[in-house]
Amino acid sequence: MISTSVKEALRRLSGGGTKSSSSKQSSATHQKSQSNKKSQQPSQLTNNNGTTNTPSKQHESTGTSQDEMFLRLRREAAEVVKREPILSMLLSKVGLLDESTLPKLSSSNNPIPAKIITASLEPATSFEEVIARIVAHRLSSCSGGTENICPKFLRHLLEQSFHDTTTLELGHTMSEAVREDAMAILRRDPAAETLLEVVLFMKGFHSLVIHRAARRAWKPALKNKNDDTNDASASNETNVAGSRFVALLLQSQSSSAFGVDIHPASSIGMGVMIDHASGVVIGETATVGDGTTILHGVTLGGTGKDHGDRHPKIGKDVLIGAGTQILGNITVGDRAKIGAGSVVLRPIPSGATAVGAPAKIIGYTPKGERPGSSVDIKLEGVEPLFGGGKMMGGGRGSVSSDSITEGTTDSSGGSSPGSSGSGAGTTETTSDEKTQTMKKLALHNEKADVEDNNIQKSNTIIDEEEEDDDAQDKDSSNDEDDDNVTDFGTQPKCRWVQTSNHNDGLCPFSGSFRNISSSLRPNTISHPDLRALLIQEGCTEGECAEVFFGLLHCTPASSKARQCGCIPLDIFMGCFPEIAKEKTKLDGETIQALAVGDLRTLAMSKKASRRFRSMFAVLGQKSALALPRIPSSGLLSDGTDVVGSCSAIRKSERERMGEHLDTRTYSAEITI
């Protein structure tokens, strides 16, 4: 009885054991088949057209294999997550991790459960998608957990902006600009070691991405707002493509999260770096050119309550130091340097270095240098206004004690006797040298003070002369005929324009030059005269500064004219046409007429030409002497044909007089 029950129990156990082992085998076979199916699944992915692709072909079809920046982000993310697994959650959310990266994560070093990481795993397919995810996550997480903006909507808006290739900002699409912005930070910022940290943590980069998306949301609304059509599709397009309030919401959230306030209507080029970014303000009508570097605390502000175009225009490859305030509708030319803490209220020409409050021009940017890329914050590479190597110190009258010590050593003809010895003799010699150095420094400071006083007296004299000229103009303004007829009895093309005082203390050139001697005046043109002449012809303040600065650079550095801020008329005749063609909007005929003093072509009114008659008389004499006589055949002695050519030499006043119908009347006119 017992043996039978024992046998039956053993049979049952053996049968149960067989069943368990068979179930284990079947489950293992099932898992193996499932794993085989999973391994074969990627090869069965299809495209939209129904064709089959392997994973590598699929990446090629989306262009991922061609995107080096995206692949670089993936590689850097994989390396970082090995060393710092705590970042696996963030990197998986922004799409930089995939299933191939997860097995590399050690469960013992990673405090985040693998299930959570796998649940949020959604690999990105392009650089633009990664940036959209990062910025959307960063902005929503920095908003304090409020529901003012939906992260999914923000990500969708950013991706749409990236795909928009029709809306250009200073000639660039958003994708081009964002890519170049990231690489610019990586090249210029020594603190940025990897591309991954630039796109993950640099708030200046994130604020630029949000601005570019906000600008594309702003522009369609303005375009449809000016459209008079009442088509329903147009209104729907406005709601979908963006609107004023969506753009302002992005601006507001970015300002709250990052401390950077960029108006959606402003225009910013590509390759721009906003370093540290805290406290940066860029106004509605401001423009920032390609390759510019802006440090923290910079304001590109307006002029108060004025409407319209009221903010600065920054050129290309410009360096703007920390804490700089640039206010008003003024221009800062290409390759300019603005020192930290400057207050710029007047235009700064291209290639100039300005510093101070108000900003004063202290020198030139060396040829070939791109300040926006070199980031010369200490302003070490600056050519002084009056030549002689690099600028040492803060301005024209500054000098270092080292240079005075060197000068003392040179003037003494070497070391004094006993200087090579030791003891009391060396101490006495050192004290004597220090005394001489202090005397030299005091003498230099006295000379600098005298020069500054002379400059102020010279500026006062110039101001008085300008006031006298203005008084004469006001006295003659009662006679309206002076402004309605030229010196030749014809209708004027250009009438008298009253110019503001250039030496108001805010001009970047005021106080930079020596007093003008009486011997230089007849054969030179000063900055006030050149400015008044160009404004008379319709040029802007920025164009006047550009032309004067370019002509000053063409003047020899050792000449007295350059030290006095004057342009010799010979250099004016030779260099003005090329510079004015590049820097101004004047037509070619007007430029040539200004260069040779052709009053008839300029057609100024009597009142307008009164101030420039003496200068134009000298220019006319110089141009008449410089022009060779052209024979009737139209061929020069070397066989050059100048008739009908764009490079033909302009005719002098004497030749024009010969072609006039009534030479006696014309001679009387020019005599008067």
Side-chain angles (χ1 to χ4, degrees):
M1 183 100 180
I2 297 175
S3 61
T4 305
S5 61
V6 171
K7 289 181 180 179
E8 185 176 357
L10 291 174
R11 186 174 63 253
R12 290 178 180 177
L13 289 174
S14 62
T18 304
K19 184 176 181 180
S20 175
S21 62
S22 62
S23 64
K24 288 182 180 180
Q25 291 178 357
S26 62
S27 62
T29 306
H30 177 70
Q31 292 178 358
K32 185 175 181 180
S33 62
Q34 291 294 332
S35 62
N36 291 335
K37 288 182 181 180
K38 286 185 178 181
S39 63
Q40 294 175 0
Q41 188 174 357
S43 63
Q44 297 175 356
L45 294 175
T46 58
N47 291 332
N48 294 332
N49 56 6
T51 58
T52 315
N53 269 341
T54 61
S56 59
K57 291 183 179 180
Q58 185 183 9
H59 285 300
E60 290 177 2
S61 63
T62 58
T64 306
S65 61
Q66 305 296 331
D67 192 348
E68 288 297 330
M69 295 185 69
F70 176 68
L71 295 180
R72 179 173 179 174
L73 287 177
R74 292 283 300 272
R75 290 194 301 268
E76 292 177 353
E79 294 174 0
V80 167
V81 83
K82 290 180 186 177
R83 302 190 303 266
E84 305 174 50
I86 191 66
L87 293 175
S88 57
M89 187 69 179
L90 173 62
L91 295 176
S92 63
K93 281 187 176 181
V94 300
L96 289 175
L97 297 182
D98 55 9
E99 293 182 356
S100 61
T101 314
L102 289 180
K104 300 177 183 179
L105 299 177
S106 175
S107 58
S108 59
N109 296 331
N110 187 10
I112 303 177
K115 293 182 179 180
I116 299 178
I117 302 177
T118 307
S120 60
L121 194 64
E122 187 181 352
T125 59
S126 65
F127 175 83
E128 288 75 13
E129 185 179 351
V130 171
I131 299 301
R133 292 188 186 187
I134 291 175
V135 175
H137 172 73
R138 181 82 184 272
L139 187 60
S140 59
S141 61
C142 292
S143 299
T146 61
E147 298 180 356
N148 294 335
I149 188 168
C150 176
K152 292 184 178 179
F153 167 76
L154 179 57
R155 173 182 166 184
H156 177 67
L157 179 62
L158 291 171
E159 291 177 351
Q160 273 191 333
S161 302
F162 274 118
H163 295 154
D164 182 11
T165 58
T166 58
T167 304
L168 302 180
E169 186 174 9
L170 295 185
H172 312 296
T173 63
M174 181 172 174
S175 178
E176 295 171 347
V178 170
R179 286 172 176 268
E180 192 60 30
D181 291 343
M183 295 306 299
I185 297 174
L186 189 61
R187 289 190 294 263
R188 301 174 198 170
D189 191 351
E193 298 181 357
T194 61
L195 180 62
L196 181 62
E197 62 190 273
V198 171
V199 301
L200 278 180
F201 307 122
M202 297 292 185
K203 64 178 182 179
F205 173 75
H206 295 161
S207 61
L208 281 176
V209 174
I210 296 174
H211 157 72
R212 301 188 190 283
R215 189 177 188 275
R216 282 156 179 80
W218 179 276
K219 290 301 181 182
L222 292 181
K223 181 178 179 181
N224 294 328
K225 179 180 179 181
N226 297 330
D227 193 0
D228 295 334
T229 59
N230 294 325
D231 189 6
S233 61
S235 62
N236 291 334
E237 182 182 355
T238 303
N239 294 331
V240 174
S243 67
R244 173 186 176 90
F245 284 93
V246 171
L248 292 176
L249 176 62
L250 294 178
Q251 175 198 3
S252 175
Q253 294 297 111
S254 177
S255 177
S256 301
F258 307 130
V260 183
D261 195 353
I262 306 177
H263 196 279
S266 60
S267 301
I268 301 178
M270 70 177 185
V272 174
M273 181 180 78
I274 305 180
D275 196 16
H276 299 292
S278 298
V280 172
V281 178
I282 300 179
E284 179 182 3
T285 58
T287 300
V288 179
D290 298 344
T292 295
T293 295
I294 300 175
L295 274 75
H296 54 280
V298 171
T299 299
L300 306 182
T303 54
K305 294 183 178 181
D306 296 339
H307 294 276
D309 198 354
R310 61 193 184 279
H311 293 95
K313 309 296 180 290
I314 310 300
K316 298 180 180 179
D317 298 309
V318 176
L319 173 63
I320 305 178
T324 298
Q325 314 296 307
I326 306 178
L327 307 176
N329 184 16
I330 60 177
T331 58
V332 177
D334 300 342
R335 300 174 55 249
K337 294 181 182 180
I338 310 297
S342 300
V343 178
V344 183
L345 302 174
R346 296 292 184 268
I348 303 297
S350 301
T353 299
V355 65
K360 303 294 181 182
I361 294 176
I362 63 172
Y364 299 90
T365 301
K367 185 177 180 180
E369 182 183 350
R370 299 172 59 189
S373 300
S374 61
V375 197
D376 179 22
I377 299 176
K378 296 178 64 177
L379 306 181
E380 294 179 342
V382 178
E383 296 179 4
L385 282 177
F386 310 124
K390 293 184 178 180
M391 178 73 69
M392 298 298 296
R396 179 184 58 81
S398 62
V399 67
S400 62
S401 59
D402 295 338
S403 62
I404 296 178
T405 304
E406 292 175 1
T408 305
T409 305
D410 294 339
S411 63
S412 63
S415 59
S416 60
S419 61
S420 60
S422 60
T426 305
T427 306
E428 292 177 359
T429 303
T430 304
S431 61
D432 292 341
E433 290 179 355
K434 289 183 178 180
T435 303
Q436 293 178 2
T437 300
M438 296 302 297
K439 290 181 179 179
K440 289 281 186 179
L441 182 60
L443 180 61
H444 181 273
N445 291 334
E446 291 178 1
K447 291 181 179 179
D449 293 339
V450 172
E451 291 178 356
D452 292 338
N453 293 332
N454 292 335
I455 291 175
Q456 293 178 359
K457 292 179 181 179
S458 174
N459 293 332
T460 304
I461 294 173
I462 295 174
D463 293 339
E464 292 176 354
E465 292 177 353
E466 290 181 355
E467 290 177 359
D468 294 339
D469 293 338
D470 294 338
Q472 293 177 4
D473 292 336
K474 291 179 180 178
D475 293 339
S476 61
S477 62
N478 296 328
D479 188 3
E480 296 181 357
D481 293 339
D482 288 348
D483 206 27
N484 293 327
V485 66
T486 66
D487 294 330
F488 309 102
T490 58
Q491 290 292 328
K493 297 180 182 177
C494 178
R495 289 181 168 82
W496 179 75
V497 177
Q498 184 176 4
T499 58
S500 59
N501 184 13
H502 80 287
N503 194 23
D504 56 357
L506 302 179
C507 175
F509 296 107
S510 63
S512 300
F513 305 110
R514 303 178 186 272
N515 54 335
I516 304 174
S517 61
S518 58
S519 60
L520 287 176
R521 288 184 180 275
N523 296 314
T524 60
I525 178 172
S526 63
H527 174 241
D529 291 340
L530 179 62
R531 172 178 172 270
L533 178 62
L534 295 178
I535 290 179
Q536 192 72 50
E537 294 295 330
C539 293
T540 63
E541 290 283 357
E543 292 173 342
C544 296
E546 292 279 0
V547 172
F548 173 74
F549 197 65
L551 290 173
L552 190 67
H553 205 188
C554 295
T555 306
S558 59
S559 65
K560 293 182 179 179
R562 179 164 173 177
Q563 295 178 2
C564 297
C566 296
I567 311 299
L569 293 181
D570 294 334
I571 293 178
F572 178 81
M573 291 177 58
C575 301
F576 175 78
E578 182 180 356
I579 295 176
K581 183 179 179 181
E582 178 185 357
K583 303 296 184 181
T584 69
K585 297 180 181 179
L586 297 175
D587 58 271
E589 184 180 11
T590 302
I591 291 174
Q592 291 295 337
L594 288 171
V596 299
D598 188 356
L599 272 174
R600 175 171 288 275
T601 302
L602 293 174
M604 288 186 181
S605 66
K606 289 183 179 181
K607 185 177 180 181
S609 64
R610 184 179 295 114
R611 183 177 183 179
F612 313 110
R613 283 177 184 171
S614 59
M615 183 189 72
F616 282 160
V618 177
L619 285 174
Q621 294 175 3
K622 290 181 177 294
S623 61
L625 294 175
L627 291 174
R629 184 172 297 277
I630 303 175
S632 58
S633 61
L635 297 175
L636 297 178
S637 58
D638 59 354
T640 304
D641 184 10
V642 296
V643 178
S645 175
C646 61
S647 60
I649 303 175
R650 287 187 167 273
K651 300 176 181 178
S652 64
E653 291 295 332
R654 184 180 299 277
E655 291 171 331
R656 289 178 178 272
M657 182 182 67
E659 294 179 355
H660 202 274
L661 296 178
D662 190 354
T663 56
R664 290 175 299 177
T665 305
Y666 185 72
S667 300
E669 288 176 355
I670 62 174
T671 302
I672 294 174

